[in-house]
Amino acid sequence: MLQKILRHNVQSADVPLFTWEVVTGFDEELPKETLHTRFDEEFRDAFADKTPVFFKLVSFNGLNGRRHRYLVALNDKDELLKRKNSRLLPQSITLYRICDKIMREGDGLQNLCYYTTVAGKLYILVFLEGRLCHWSEELGYGNSFENPDVALKIEERLERFRHFLEKDDLFSRAESFAFKSGCDDGPSPFSREEFLRAAADPFWRRKSLTPSDKSSHVRFAFVTFLLAVVFSLFVFVPTLTAFFESEGLLPNESVLEAEAPELLLPEPIESFEVRAIAESLPKSVKRPSCDQPEFKLRGLVEGKICQLHGPDGTSSWLREGELVGGFRVESIGRDRVVLECGGVFYDVFSGV
C-alpha cells in the first residue's frame, strides 16, 4: 500500500525535451525569473502556447563567458492546469534509466552517446563522465533500424553528430564516446513500470514539470509521517512481542511477521554544407551583392524555429520570413534551412 502511494503519485506527460545553452559572465548565475526572460527573448512567441521548465544539466567556462546548458521541457499550459496537483515528469525519462544501466554494466563506462527511435522520433542522449549533458529529439525517422533507408538516415545523422562531439567546447575534452543504440522492435520503453523506476532515480527524484504548491508539501508531510509510523511498527512491534512472550502475557506460538514492503530507492552544429539550389531572377535584373553564406545551423526546434551561427560569432533564433544579414529565411525543414538572397536560394544543412 505504501509503495503504491509513493509511486502512483508520479504521472507521465508526453512533452518534447531539448538542450538550450545560455552564456553569462564567468561568475554569474541566472535566477529563475531572468532565465524565463532570456528564453522568451530568444524564442519570442514561437512557443506561446507552451510553458518551459528548465532542468540544469552542466556549466563550464568557454572563451566568451560561463556556458550553462539546460534541459528544457515544453509543457502544454492547459495540461498543466489539469494536473497541477500531481508530480509530473516526461515519459521519455525512461531513456535516462536505460543509459544509466548501460554505464553501470559497462566496466567503468562514463562517456556515452545513446540513440534510439521511438514512434518515428530519433532520441540522442550524451553523458560526459557519467552526467547527462545533452538531449535532443528529432522527428521524421522510421520505427525500425532494420529498414535500410532508416538505418542510412540515422547513420548520416550520427556521422554529423560525431563531428559535433569532436569540436564542441565541452565534449571535445573527452578522449572518446561509446555509441550505443536502443532496440525499438520490441515493446515501447515508455512503459509505466519503467517510468516509475526512472522517476525514483536520484537525478529525477526531486524534479517535476508542475510547480510546487502547498498541497504538494502537505502530501509530502503525510507520506513522511506514514513512513515514520511504518518504520516504528517494524522496529518496536517485534521487541514488544518478545517481551510479552517472555512474561507469559502472550501464548507461546510462532508468529509470522509481515515482510517489509519493498521501497523503490533510489544543437550546436559545427559541420555544415551550403549549396545554391535555384535562381529565379532574369539576367537583366541587377542582383544585390550576396556572398555565399557562412552560417552554421546550430539548432532546430519542432520545425518552427532555427538557430543560425553567423561568421561574426553571434547566434540568432529565427522563424520563416525573418532576416539575418542580407539573407531571408525562406523555409525551415527537418534537417536544413533554406535562405534566400537576391533571388538565389541556399541550403544550410543540420550538423548536430
Side-chain angles (χ1 to χ4, degrees):
M1 175 181 176
L2 178 61
Q3 186 179 16
K4 291 182 179 180
I5 292 176
L6 290 173
R7 297 176 63 190
H8 286 214
N9 188 46
V10 185
Q11 302 296 324
S12 63
D14 185 10
V15 298
L17 297 170
F18 69 97
T19 305
W20 177 52
E21 182 178 282
V22 183
V23 180
T24 66
F26 285 103
D27 298 324
E28 184 181 355
E29 288 287 343
L30 291 178
K32 183 178 179 180
E33 295 75 13
T34 306
L35 192 63
H36 279 272
T37 301
R38 291 278 294 269
F39 186 86
D40 292 338
E41 291 174 349
E42 191 160 351
F43 293 95
R44 290 182 283 275
D45 58 350
F47 302 121
D49 58 337
K50 304 289 185 180
T51 298
V53 178
F54 308 97
F55 303 123
K56 186 70 171 289
L57 293 180
V58 65
S59 294
F60 59 96
N61 288 331
L63 295 177
N64 57 343
R66 186 76 175 170
R67 295 179 178 270
H68 312 269
R69 289 183 180 175
Y70 293 87
L71 184 61
V72 183
L74 297 175
N75 285 327
D76 184 88
K77 292 183 178 179
D78 294 335
E79 187 68 17
L80 282 181
L81 291 175
K82 295 177 184 177
R83 305 163 73 176
K84 63 180 181 179
N85 292 326
S86 299
R87 181 180 170 226
L88 203 61
L89 287 173
Q91 66 174 3
S92 56
I93 67 172
T94 52
L95 297 179
Y96 181 98
R97 173 175 168 80
I98 292 173
C99 293
D100 181 68
K101 184 177 180 181
I102 291 174
M103 288 187 292
R104 284 189 285 107
E105 297 176 351
D107 294 330
L109 175 62
Q110 293 289 297
N111 300 331
L112 171 67
C113 179
Y114 175 84
Y115 61 96
T116 188
T117 58
V118 180
K121 181 184 289 187
L122 175 65
Y123 294 82
I124 301 178
L125 282 67
V126 180
F127 288 76
L128 178 65
E129 297 179 356
R131 180 173 181 174
L132 178 64
C133 295
H134 178 88
W135 184 302
S136 63
E137 303 176 5
E138 300 179 12
L139 296 171
Y141 291 83
N143 294 328
S144 176
F145 288 108
E146 296 179 357
N147 185 315
D149 294 335
V150 173
L152 178 60
K153 186 183 299 184
I154 293 175
E155 183 55 39
E156 292 175 347
R157 182 70 179 86
L158 293 177
E159 184 60 30
R160 296 194 298 270
F161 198 82
R162 289 186 180 95
H163 290 302
F164 157 65
L165 293 177
E166 293 172 357
K167 297 181 180 180
D168 180 73
D169 289 344
L170 177 64
F171 297 132
S172 60
R173 303 175 187 180
E175 293 183 0
S176 63
F177 283 88
F179 278 71
K180 302 289 184 180
S181 65
C183 182
D184 61 354
D185 54 1
S188 170
F190 301 157
S191 66
R192 176 63 178 170
E193 184 65 25
E194 287 301 312
F195 168 78
L196 292 175
R197 293 182 181 276
D201 184 274
F203 182 82
W204 296 103
R205 190 168 47 202
R206 299 184 182 275
K207 294 179 174 61
S208 177
L209 298 176
T210 51
S212 60
D213 54 19
K214 185 176 180 180
S215 62
S216 65
H217 292 299
V218 171
R219 287 196 305 273
F220 178 77
F222 170 74
V223 172
T224 303
F225 171 75
L226 190 58
L227 277 171
V229 172
V230 172
F231 177 77
S232 299
L233 289 175
F234 281 107
V235 170
F236 294 110
V237 167
T239 303
L240 291 175
T241 301
F243 170 77
F244 286 125
E245 283 183 343
S246 65
E247 295 296 325
L249 300 177
L250 290 178
N252 188 15
E253 297 177 355
S254 60
V255 180
L256 296 178
E257 296 182 1
E259 183 180 354
E262 178 185 357
L263 297 181
L264 197 62
L265 299 176
E267 288 190 17
I269 300 166
E270 298 299 341
S271 60
F272 67 98
E273 177 184 350
V274 180
R275 177 173 56 89
I277 58 175
E279 288 194 17
S280 59
L281 295 179
K283 294 182 179 180
S284 58
V285 178
K286 183 178 180 180
R287 297 175 173 80
S289 175
C290 297
D291 295 330
Q292 186 171 347
E294 297 181 358
F295 295 107
K296 301 177 182 180
L297 182 55
R298 300 183 70 99
L300 291 165
V301 180
E302 292 194 328
K304 295 182 179 179
I305 59 176
C306 64
Q307 185 183 35
L308 292 179
H309 185 74
D312 59 352
T314 61
S315 297
S316 303
W317 285 96
L318 303 164
R319 293 172 297 175
E320 290 185 1
E322 294 186 335
L323 297 175
V324 53
F327 297 86
R328 182 176 62 86
V329 179
E330 176 69 19
S331 64
I332 300 174
R334 181 182 61 80
D335 62 350
R336 72 186 66 186
V337 172
V338 178
L339 302 180
E340 183 271 336
C341 181
V344 181
F345 298 84
Y346 302 89
D347 273 347
V348 180
F349 287 92
S350 172
V352 172

